[in-house]
């Protein structure tokens, strides 16, 4: 498979994967998700790869969310399918990968972008990064596991606040909340991830794979399916139509409340 939206390189035991749609702030469309699925599976199968570092191209965004323009006209069924396919192809894949994954959050990580970072096993952010789940400002909810993984990482109360206010955290706030493990300058972002990767590489890959499975087993939940169903239901509302249309027309949404 040749990649249009993803850059990939393996060097010194690390697989570097970069989401490369900088003009759209690296927003995740279907094609990008399919390419990421392919490149991640290949990296995981490569015995020389001890760690995977996932980041966004350029310095403004990690990933500014799912591609709003792609799903704005979807109906309930198409919405639920989009969330379900994405969850299986990318977000669950990453979370359950036996190779450890680090999200190098180099800028905006919003909506599906923060969900992508949260599906990785660890997160390191540069100090310009901003993180949030702004979906309710579009009349929809997080659909790529965000309602589950945010609550797992920061606790239910903080997750409820971030999701319902559609707020954005600075990198330092995200660290205080436990959402990211480390914060550093942009220049130090990849080297910081590489330091973690080199410590990982000294250990047994097999044992790490089992440890990841065991940690994840403690967080298995029915919530992901509930999220897919609720995400799909939003697509039948006028609030969703107004929220996504307002984004595309670059204006503030006026939600009709139905
Ligand atoms: N989707 C599509 N295009 C986007 C997205 C996005 N998520 N984010 C930015 N872009 C595009 C803009 O439309 C713009 O394109 P153009 O130049 O053609 O007008 C370009 O990227 C640059 O963006 P801005 O001009 O808006 O840049 P600013 O510096 O003014 O603002 C922001 C940066 C604050 C990051 C702003 O772009 C923004 O608010 N983006 C949207 C953030 C958002 O709401 N993300 C959540 C999306 S919903 C989601 O992720 C759902 C997840 C669950 C999905 C499950 C199935 C789909």
């Amino acid at each position: 498979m040749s990649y249009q939206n993803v850059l990939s390189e393996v060097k010194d035991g690390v697989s570097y994967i970069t989401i490369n749609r900088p003009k759209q702030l690296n927003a995740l469309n279907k094609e990008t998700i399919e390419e990421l699925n392919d490149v991640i599976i290949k990296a995981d199968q490569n015995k020389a790869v001890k760690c995977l570092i996932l980041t966004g191209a350029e310095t403004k965004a990690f990933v500014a969310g799912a591609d709003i323009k792609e799903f704005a006209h979807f109906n309930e069924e198409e919405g639920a399918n989009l969330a379900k396919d994405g969850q299986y192809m990318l977000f669950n894949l990453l979370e359950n990968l036996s190779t450890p994954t680090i999200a190098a959050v180099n800028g905006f990580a919003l909506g599906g972008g923060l969900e992508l970072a949260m599906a990785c096993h660890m997160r390191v952010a540069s100090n310009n990064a901003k993180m949030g789940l702004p979906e309710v400002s579009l009349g929809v909810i997080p659909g790529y596991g965000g309602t589950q993984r945010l609550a797992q990482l920061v606790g239910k109360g903080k997750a409820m606040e971030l999701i319902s206010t559609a707020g954005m955290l600075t990198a330092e706030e995200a660290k205080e909340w436990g959402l990211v493990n480390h914060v550093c300058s942009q220049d130090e972002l990849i080297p910081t991830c590489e330091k973690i990767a080199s410590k990982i590489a000294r250990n047994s890959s097999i044992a790490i794979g089992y440890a990841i499975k065991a940690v994840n087993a403690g967080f298995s939940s029915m919530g992901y399916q509930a999220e897919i169903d609720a995400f799909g239901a939003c697509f039948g509302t006028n609030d969703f139509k107004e929220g996504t249309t307002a984004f595309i027309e670059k204006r503030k949404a006026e939600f009709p409340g139905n």
Side-chain angles (χ1 to χ4, degrees):
M1 182 176 196
S2 68
Y3 306 127
Q4 306 303 314
N5 306 301
V6 170
L7 305 172
S8 135
E9 185 190 8
V10 175
K11 207 172 69 189
D12 298 334
V14 176
S15 163
Y16 297 85
I17 298 175
T18 304
I19 297 144
N20 188 30
R21 298 183 79 214
K23 286 202 179 103
Q24 294 81 21
L25 304 188
N26 302 322
L28 292 177
N29 60 0
K30 194 166 174 282
E31 201 179 35
T32 307
I33 289 177
E34 284 166 3
E35 291 179 14
L36 284 169
N37 169 275
D38 191 74
V39 76
I40 289 166
I41 289 173
K42 283 190 180 126
D44 189 48
Q45 287 169 347
N46 182 346
K47 284 224 182 305
V49 171
K50 303 293 179 196
C51 184
L52 202 145
I53 298 176
L54 184 65
T55 195
E58 302 190 358
T59 53
K60 185 167 174 178
F62 173 71
V63 169
D67 192 320
I68 298 166
K69 291 162 193 167
E70 188 177 65
F71 66 68
H73 60 280
F74 277 13
N75 64 27
E76 290 172 57
E77 196 188 343
E78 289 169 323
N81 282 339
L82 190 67
K84 183 167 71 110
D85 293 348
Q87 283 200 19
Y88 288 123
M89 282 188 82
L90 180 56
F91 297 78
N92 294 357
L93 170 74
L94 268 175
E95 181 168 78
N96 295 308
L97 214 65
S98 53
T99 311
T101 57
I102 307 175
V105 182
N106 57 313
F108 286 112
L110 300 174
L114 180 56
E115 294 178 292
L116 185 66
M118 292 192 295
C120 291
H121 301 130
M122 293 153 254
R123 284 147 294 285
V124 178
S126 55
N127 47 22
N128 63 311
K130 294 256 169 64
M131 282 158 266
L133 294 176
E135 284 89 341
V136 296
S137 71
L138 296 162
V140 69
I141 68 164
Y144 285 146
T147 60
Q148 307 304 300
R149 293 191 184 101
L150 183 64
Q152 289 165 13
L153 286 164
V154 306
K156 189 170 160 184
K158 287 194 170 94
M160 290 289 191
E161 182 180 334
L162 193 68
I163 291 170
S164 53
T165 59
M168 263 192 226
L169 299 176
T170 62
E172 281 300 338
E173 287 166 336
K175 186 171 166 224
E176 235 170 74
W177 280 35
L179 183 53
V180 302
N181 300 13
H182 307 278
V183 176
C184 53
S185 66
Q186 276 226 324
D187 288 350
E188 280 299 309
L189 182 60
I190 297 300
T192 303
C193 296
E194 285 168 339
K195 269 183 212 148
I196 300 172
S198 71
K199 289 182 188 166
I200 289 171
R202 291 180 211 144
N203 303 316
S204 158
S205 299
I206 296 175
I208 292 172
Y210 281 128
I212 289 170
K213 264 200 181 66
V215 172
N216 284 343
F219 292 93
S220 61
S221 123
M222 305 291 285
Y224 293 98
Q225 186 55 47
E227 184 187 270
I228 289 168
D229 295 341
F231 182 83
C234 291
F235 281 63
T237 68
N238 287 318
D239 274 10
F240 168 75
K241 288 185 188 82
E242 166 60 9
T244 48
T245 306
F247 175 79
I248 290 164
E249 292 175 357
K250 298 189 187 285
R251 62 174 172 80
K252 207 168 169 300
E254 304 250 2
F255 291 112
N258 58 31

